[in-house]
Amino acid sequence: RSITSQIVAKTLPKVGPKVHVMIGTGFLTASLFWLSSVDPDSGYLDKLLPGMLMLAIGMGNLFVPLMITAVSKIEATDAGLASALLNVGQQLGGAIGLSSMATVFGTAARNYAGSHSAGLGAKLAQLPQPLQQPIGNALHKAGNNGLQPEQIKSLIAQQPLQYRGRAADFFSGPYKDFSHHLLAHASGQGFLTGAIFGVVAFLAGVFQIGRGGG
């Protein structure tokens, strides 16, 4: 992002802020749409890294032009106030955007768990009887947060020695697959929500920012 910001600072006087704002919101929106397609088989290099690079380019194209636009055609005595209002707007917008994405993520996760828990329950029912109740109780108690790795290790260690292998297979197999699919689905929905905000920001830039930054 810092590299992009330095490039933007040099080209801004030539092309004006609107060009960079459009580029920035375009890359930002594209990155969120890209990340919304994440699935359980997505890797770092083929999915996450390209999305993060697009996001960094987008943010680098936004910060400097937004500051210039906010303080342009403002009296020198009001420049500090304009800058402060921009910072407040960025903080408020970020908080609203993040909370919206987090809310969608949580809702999508709960809906996925509710509609796919039967499959995980069927796998649990295939375990030996002495394992079904303690593992089922642990999963129920964990709720939407799921079991953390430390909790899983502790739970396996608490089971009778002859059943620990089966318990480990359950958590490394069906439970892991279920968790990965849930996380991918919920993350995709959250990123898609962010991309919608990006589209709105892009349209606002098109109609609200003049070529000269006013």
Side-chain angles (χ1 to χ4, degrees), residues 9-35:
K10 294 179 180 180
T11 59
L12 186 60
K14 299 179 181 179
V15 301
K18 184 171 184 176
V19 172
H20 286 295
V21 170
M22 295 296 93
I23 293 174
T25 52
F27 269 97
L28 176 64
T29 304
S31 71
L32 293 171
F33 271 121
W34 175 271
L35 292 171

Side-chain angles (χ1 to χ4, degrees), residues 70-164:
V71 299
S72 65
K73 299 183 180 181
I74 298 293
E75 297 294 335
T77 54
D78 296 328
L81 177 60
S83 178
L85 289 174
L86 174 63
N87 289 330
V88 171
Q90 289 176 336
Q91 295 294 329
L92 182 61
I96 294 174
L98 181 59
S99 62
S100 299
M101 292 173 67
T103 299
V104 171
F105 175 93
T107 301
R110 288 192 295 271
N111 291 340
Y112 184 92
S115 60
H116 292 79
S117 58
L120 184 63
K123 296 294 184 181
L124 178 63
Q126 296 175 7
L127 292 176
Q129 189 66 34
L131 291 177
Q132 294 181 21
Q133 183 173 355
I135 293 179
N137 290 340
L139 293 176
H140 179 75
K141 185 177 180 180
N144 294 324
N145 295 324
L147 290 173
Q148 302 304 310
E150 296 78 9
Q151 295 174 308
I152 293 175
K153 290 180 181 179
S154 176
L155 181 61
I156 293 175
Q158 294 171 12
Q159 306 312 310
L161 184 61
Q162 66 270 30
Y163 296 128
R164 291 178 186 175

